[in-house]
């Protein structure tokens, strides 16, 4: 339920002043200073807004595009584009540039902010360039490898590129966590940091990579099979324009289920 709350895309429409009011209400509630007429549904909604919009480490308001609540509309648009425009080299490069740019921004927004340093800007820029270049190379490589093995296999190239892109993008964008380590706290006490661990950073990033691949897999592997089956029916042949709305609908359904489910596999704190 928690991950369904923080990934609810309706929260991206809430204005900044309402988000800050929700955060303050949660802080007042935690301190026992909440209004006397506060109802349970109000504090639950305020908690949902706060968790979806503010970074858990530093409490800063996250950019709307980098929030987990933006994953559904953003991923639907990008997945549909990658599944639709996979034939030409130019289309593949453009789709992967946008996709990896989006992924890099999400990865940076949801980084472990306790490992930040003001001088990290150049390292972040370099990581973005390398991650984007690697994902584009993977997309073109898989496209060339699979294009001669049938139309259906060629449509799996975007998923292969996304998987490789995540494997490259996440460690590069969050390399500072690996080199510096992330804080390890006493269980049920976020105030007592006992050490900084590089092993914990590698474990966390590995789980994040696996989660991103799990989110993408059902839609990017299942939709090409279903649309390929549609092409043999006369209903489709008379209405070829139906493929795009079908792909968008199936992609939305898959991501609506997979985003909160996959995020819940590896809890943020354990």
């Amino acid at each position: 339920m928690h991950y369904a709350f923080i990934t609810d895309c309706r929260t991206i429409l809430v204005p900044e002043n309402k988000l800050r009011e929700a955060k303050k209400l949660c802080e007042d509630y935690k301190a026992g200073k909440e209004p006397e007429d506060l109802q349970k549904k109000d504090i639950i909604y305020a908690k949902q807004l706060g968790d979806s919009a503010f970074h858990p480490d530093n409490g800063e308001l996250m950019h709307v595009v980098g929030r987990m609540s933006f994953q559904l509309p953003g991923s639907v648009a990008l997945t549909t584009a990658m599944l639709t425009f996979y034939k030409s080299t130019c289309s593949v490069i453009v789709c992967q540039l946008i996709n990896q740019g989006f992924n890099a921004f999400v990865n940076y927004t949801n980084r472990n902010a306790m490992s930040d340093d003001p001088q990290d800007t150049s390292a972040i820029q370099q990581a973005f360039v390398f991650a984007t270049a690697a994902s584009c190379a993977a997309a073109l490589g898989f496209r060339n490898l699979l294009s001669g093995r049938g139309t259906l296999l060629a449509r799996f190239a975007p998923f292969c590129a996304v998987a490789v892109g995540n494997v490259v993008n996440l460690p590069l964008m969050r390399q500072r966590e690996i080199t510096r380590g992330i804080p390890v706290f006493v269980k049920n006490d976020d105030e007592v940091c006992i050490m900084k661990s590089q092993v914990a950073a590698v474990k966390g990033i590995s789980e994040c990579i696996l989660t991103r691949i799990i989110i993408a897999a059902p839609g990017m592997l299942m939709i090409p099979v279903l649309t390929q089956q549609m092409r043999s029916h006369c209903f489709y042949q008379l209405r070829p324009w139906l493929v795009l709305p079908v792909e968008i609908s199936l992609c939305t359904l898959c991501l609506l289920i997979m985003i909160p489910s996959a995020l819940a596999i590896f809890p943020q704190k354990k």
Side-chain angles (χ1 to χ4, degrees):
M1 179 63 77
H2 169 71
Y3 290 99
F5 259 31
I6 66 171
T7 58
D8 186 343
C9 62
R10 293 174 296 181
T11 61
I12 65 176
L13 302 175
V14 179
E16 182 178 336
N17 64 315
K18 294 291 184 184
L19 294 174
R20 296 195 181 279
E21 288 175 7
K23 181 185 179 185
K24 186 176 185 307
L25 178 58
C26 290
E27 292 170 348
D28 290 345
Y29 182 82
K30 191 174 181 179
K33 300 177 181 177
E34 73 277 10
E36 293 182 1
D37 59 345
L38 181 67
Q39 297 184 9
K40 184 178 180 180
K41 63 178 183 180
D42 295 328
I43 189 61
I44 290 175
Y45 183 58
K47 182 76 164 62
Q48 177 187 12
L49 294 179
D51 287 351
S52 67
F54 293 92
H55 198 287
D57 291 339
N58 55 24
E60 292 181 359
L61 181 66
M62 295 184 288
H63 192 283
V64 64
V65 176
R67 299 175 199 167
M68 285 293 106
S69 51
F70 193 79
Q71 281 289 293
L72 180 62
S75 297
V76 166
L78 288 168
T79 302
T80 304
M82 285 187 287
L83 291 175
T84 303
F85 306 108
Y86 65 96
K87 294 182 179 180
S88 73
T89 301
C90 183
S91 298
V92 170
I93 292 175
V94 170
C95 285
Q96 286 303 319
L97 282 172
I98 297 172
N99 181 53
Q100 290 308 317
F102 175 68
N103 285 343
F105 193 78
V106 171
N107 294 337
Y108 175 74
T109 302
N110 293 277
R111 71 201 183 282
N112 187 307
M114 295 181 183
S115 301
D116 279 356
D117 188 294
Q119 300 178 350
D120 285 339
T121 305
S122 61
I124 292 168
Q125 293 171 346
Q126 292 172 10
F128 170 73
V129 171
F130 284 129
T132 304
S135 63
C136 289
L140 293 173
F142 280 113
R143 175 176 169 271
N144 293 333
L145 181 67
L146 299 175
S147 60
R149 305 193 179 189
T151 307
L152 181 59
L153 281 178
R155 297 202 67 190
F156 290 152
F159 171 71
C160 297
V162 166
V164 172
N166 278 315
V167 171
V168 175
N169 197 318
L170 261 162
L172 283 174
M173 290 303 296
R174 297 174 63 175
Q175 59 183 289
R176 300 169 310 287
E177 297 174 32
I178 299 174
T179 56
R180 298 169 186 164
I182 59 174
V184 177
F185 295 92
V186 175
K187 188 176 181 180
N188 300 324
D189 189 346
D190 291 343
E191 301 297 328
V192 183
C193 176
I194 55 176
M195 63 181 294
K196 280 197 171 187
S197 171
Q198 294 174 312
V199 174
V202 171
K203 184 174 183 293
I205 291 172
S206 301
E207 291 176 350
C208 194
I209 291 171
L210 185 57
T211 298
R212 298 290 175 82
I213 294 174
I214 291 171
I215 289 173
M220 299 194 80
L221 294 177
M222 182 179 67
I223 292 173
V225 175
L226 294 176
T227 53
Q228 188 71 17
Q229 291 295 320
M230 284 176 57
R231 296 178 190 277
S232 61
H233 295 282
C234 60
F235 182 79
Y236 161 75
Q237 292 171 1
L238 294 172
R239 305 169 184 83
W241 54 268
L242 277 174
V243 169
L244 185 59
V246 167
E247 283 185 346
I248 293 173
S249 301
L250 290 173
C251 188
T252 302
L253 180 62
C254 287
L255 291 171
L256 196 61
I257 297 171
M258 289 309 302
I259 289 174
S261 301
L263 290 174
I265 295 174
F266 303 111
Q268 187 178 32
K269 295 181 179 180
K270 56 184 177 180

